[in-house]
């Protein structure tokens, strides 16, 4: 291990909490991650010393606030290797970013009879906005299926894509299966048919977020899943595409001139940022990205991979465990079932032992339908988790088996 786990854990105060009289084991990182002290300090400092609305004031505080917001945009640009900051739109999160594209791209390019492709393993937030678009435009939603290991059947893409296909939306990393999808291959294939691709990076951004390397047309993620604050997210779009898309929401900041006869819109990226932006969230996100880079993304990812291997090996050494999501390329998300015990019961007992896991469909009902189940227990690990915590999970599962077995 190339980083100091004790030092890292000391930077996340919440990890010292007791839950039901036991030290907290936080294994719900795919739902939201914890925030290091430096992020909390950025938010505190902003409120205490800077707080002022951006892009509007002539006064010092507004200047500093605007500067911090635009610096955050540059930090995000560098983090995902976008060409320039005109391509970085701040939103409230991945969901808002997808809705923005589904609306604006839909308005500009999707007509009656056209097709939109999503994959079977998408989060609801990368399904429903496209369904709404298809309903609005009388277009068709087509599904790229997955196999029983939870891997996308990319070989089917050639026959799924037709002359009417306009856009394909796919996750980079499944939140319920842990599958890392071959986005680069999918994008190359889609582009060979002149189809645009939106990549949902909500989970994947922690591992590989080079938008130029993957050649994504749109890339979205949320701050709160990468050690940043809630209520802030990012839409990356290729500049040429964003330029031709109509605005999503109207309001302050997104306009150039307003009169009752005509309104003209602001330049990129402001055209897509109506209303008072979450400038404090943006600053917090920038700190989170810098912090994560200082930890070392490769080292953190490798550490999580080792932890996943350990957890998988320990869990599967127990009887009656069914792992849901056995893709060859997986990140540290472990979805499982314990015999016929309802995931909710497993989750409740684990909670009493201080272990936070997620239970249910994880906003991926089509994935559950694929496996003919209602839900799973999901342990999602982060670089601040430890083998000892995995051991506590295994003990907890053994306890569950004893109680319900
Ligand atoms: N996509 C995936 C793969 C996710 O895991 C999530 C959050 N669980 C989202 C999209 C939506 O993110 P948010 O709720 O932060 O908008």
């Amino acid at each position: 291990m190339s980083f100091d786990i004790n030092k890292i854990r000391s930077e996340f105060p919440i990890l010292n909490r007791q839950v039901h009289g036991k030290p907290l084991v936080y294994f719900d990182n795919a739902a939201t991650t914890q925030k290091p002290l430096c992020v909390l300090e950025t938010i505190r400092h902003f409120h205490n010393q800077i707080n002022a609305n951006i892009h509007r004031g002539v006064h010092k505080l507004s200047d500093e606030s605007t500067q911090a917001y635009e610096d955050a945009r540059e930090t995000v640009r560098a983090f995902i290797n976008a060409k320039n900051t005109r391509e970085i739109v701040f939103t409230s999160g991945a969901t808002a970013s997808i809705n923005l594209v589904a609306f604006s791209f839909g308005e500009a390019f999707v007509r009656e009879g056209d097709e939109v492709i999503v994959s079977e393993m998408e989060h609801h937030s990368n399904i429903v906005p496209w369904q709404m678009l298809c309903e609005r435009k009388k277009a068709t939603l087509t599904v790229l299926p997955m196999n029983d290991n939870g891997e996308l059947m990319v070989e089917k893409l050639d026959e799924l894509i037709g002359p009417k296909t306009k856009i394909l939306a796919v996750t980079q990393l499944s939140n319920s299966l842990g599958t890392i999808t071959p986005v680069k291959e999918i994008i190359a294939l889609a582009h060979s048919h002149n189809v645009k691709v939106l990549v949902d990076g909500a989970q994947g951004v922690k591992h590989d977020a080079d938008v130029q390397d993957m050649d994504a047309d749109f890339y979205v993620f949320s701050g709160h899943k990468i050690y940043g604050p809630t209520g802030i997210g990012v839409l990356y779009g290729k500049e040429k595409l964003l330029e031709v898309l109509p605005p999503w929401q109207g309001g302050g900041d997104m306009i150039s001139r307003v009169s009752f006869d005509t309104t003209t819109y602001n330049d990129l990226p402001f055209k897509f940022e109506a209303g008072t932006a979450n400038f404090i969230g943006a600053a917090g996100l920038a700190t989170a990205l810098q912090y994560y880079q200082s930890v070392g993304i490769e080292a953190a990812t490798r550490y999580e991979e080792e932890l996943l291997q350990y957890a998988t090996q320990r869990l599967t050494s127990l009887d009656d465990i069914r792992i849901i999501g056995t893709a060859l390329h997986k990140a540290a998300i472990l979805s499982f079932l314990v015999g016929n015990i309802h995931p909710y019961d497993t989750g409740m007992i684990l909670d009493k032992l201080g272990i936070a896991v997620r239970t249910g469909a994880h906003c991926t009902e089509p994935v559950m339908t694929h496996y003919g189940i209602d839900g799973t227990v999901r342990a999602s690990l982060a670089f601040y988790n430890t083998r000892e915590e995995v051991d506590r999970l295994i003990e907890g599962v053994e306890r569950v088996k004893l109680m319900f077995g």
Side-chain angles (χ1 to χ4, degrees):
M1 188 177 69
S2 56
F3 57 85
D4 181 349
I5 188 73
N6 291 325
K7 179 170 176 295
I8 284 170
R9 286 181 69 83
S10 72
E11 283 157 352
F12 292 84
I14 201 170
L15 298 178
N16 290 322
R17 243 201 87 158
Q18 302 268 313
V19 170
H20 302 305
K22 311 264 186 334
L24 166 69
V25 174
Y26 187 75
F27 279 163
D28 197 14
N29 293 289
T32 199
T33 53
Q34 302 303 344
K35 325 301 168 206
L37 282 167
C38 56
V39 170
L40 306 178
E41 175 52 26
T42 292
I43 294 167
R44 194 197 63 83
H45 175 73
F46 216 117
H47 279 292
N48 281 349
Q49 293 295 323
I50 304 175
N51 185 42
N53 213 329
I54 53 169
H55 295 153
R56 295 173 202 181
V58 290
H59 58 83
K60 177 77 176 151
L61 264 54
S62 179
D63 248 11
E64 288 182 8
S65 197
T66 302
Q67 190 62 48
Y69 185 65
E70 294 308 326
D71 286 351
R73 202 188 302 279
E74 167 55 24
T75 301
V76 170
R77 183 210 64 74
F79 191 86
I80 65 171
N81 191 30
K83 276 194 185 133
N84 71 62
T85 50
R86 291 164 58 83
E87 302 180 315
I88 306 297
V89 176
F90 281 121
T91 66
S92 63
T95 301
S97 301
I98 297 168
N99 275 277
L100 191 165
V101 177
F103 177 83
S104 294
F105 184 88
E107 283 305 293
F109 295 114
V110 179
R111 305 275 168 270
E112 184 169 347
D114 283 345
E115 288 163 13
V116 173
I117 300 180
V118 298
S119 95
E120 193 180 356
M121 68 173 69
E122 296 312 308
H123 188 279
H124 294 166
S125 65
N126 204 23
I127 299 175
V128 182
W130 303 109
Q131 270 176 331
M132 290 162 70
L133 161 66
C134 288
E135 206 169 304
R136 216 168 50 240
K137 295 285 182 167
K138 298 192 173 65
T140 306
L141 192 72
T142 309
V143 180
L144 172 65
M146 65 179 192
N147 64 25
D148 292 344
N149 291 329
E151 291 161 326
L152 289 179
M153 298 168 82
V154 180
E155 67 278 7
K156 300 234 182 239
L157 209 48
D158 250 336
E159 57 192 79
L160 281 182
I161 296 180
K164 294 274 189 183
T165 310
K166 289 292 152 64
I167 190 163
L168 184 157
V170 67
T171 189
Q172 188 183 10
L173 201 170
S174 157
N175 66 305
S176 54
L177 301 164
T179 310
I180 297 169
T181 64
V183 279
K184 221 172 145 172
E185 189 188 336
I186 292 170
I187 291 169
L189 222 152
H191 283 174
S192 73
H193 293 271
N194 215 7
V195 170
K196 303 294 181 216
V197 180
L198 176 141
V199 175
D200 174 0
Q203 302 291 340
V205 67
K206 285 202 290 181
H207 304 294
D208 173 19
D210 188 328
V211 292
Q212 287 193 68
D213 182 57
M214 67 180 91
D215 200 19
D217 298 296
F218 302 103
Y219 186 85
V220 309
F221 68 96
S222 297
H224 71 99
K225 289 186 200 279
I226 184 161
Y227 315 108
T230 42
I232 185 78
V234 171
L235 163 65
Y236 158 83
K238 283 182 180 163
E239 186 173 353
K240 280 203 162 60
L241 263 169
L242 288 183
E243 254 166 8
V244 295
L245 297 193
W248 178 39
Q249 294 179 321
D253 236 26
M254 55 76 72
I255 49 82
S256 169
R257 299 295 306 268
V258 177
S259 77
F260 287 114
D261 296 327
T262 41
T263 287
T264 51
Y265 303 126
N266 205 340
D267 291 336
L268 288 177
F270 313 111
K271 180 172 86 172
F272 294 109
E273 294 182 353
T276 296
N278 183 0
F279 46 87
I280 301 188
L285 172 59
T287 301
L289 298 179
Q290 283 157 349
Y291 167 78
Y292 188 43
Q293 274 171 324
S294 77
V295 168
I297 299 174
E298 261 181 48
T301 302
R302 215 174 317 118
Y303 177 80
E304 287 177 12
E305 278 167 7
E306 283 167 20
L307 211 54
L308 172 72
Q309 262 178 27
Y310 179 67
T312 308
Q313 171 246 314
R314 288 230 49 200
L315 197 61
T316 50
S317 71
L318 305 179
D319 292 336
D320 261 355
I321 298 290
R322 181 177 172 202
I323 305 272
I324 307 292
T326 49
L328 199 57
H329 298 292
K330 258 192 88 165
I333 291 176
L334 201 49
S335 259
F336 61 95
L337 289 167
V338 186
N340 291 325
I341 303 166
H342 196 280
Y344 184 72
D345 290 331
T346 306
M348 286 277 286
I349 302 297
L350 291 175
D351 173 57
K352 293 288 176 287
L353 300 170
I355 304 164
V357 293
R358 185 84 152 197
T359 65
H362 319 297
C363 294
T364 56
E365 281 186 33
V367 169
M368 302 304 135
T369 304
H370 181 105
Y371 291 100
I373 55 179
D374 290 337
T376 71
V377 181
R378 182 186 72 185
S380 48
L381 320 179
F383 66 85
Y384 44 59
N385 291 127
T386 64
R387 284 185 172 225
E388 291 71 35
E389 290 181 317
V390 171
D391 293 341
R392 291 236 342 250
L393 172 71
I394 303 301
E395 282 162 28
V397 171
E398 281 173 330
R399 184 89 163 260
V400 170
K401 283 166 62 105
L402 268 180
M403 288 179 71
F404 289 91

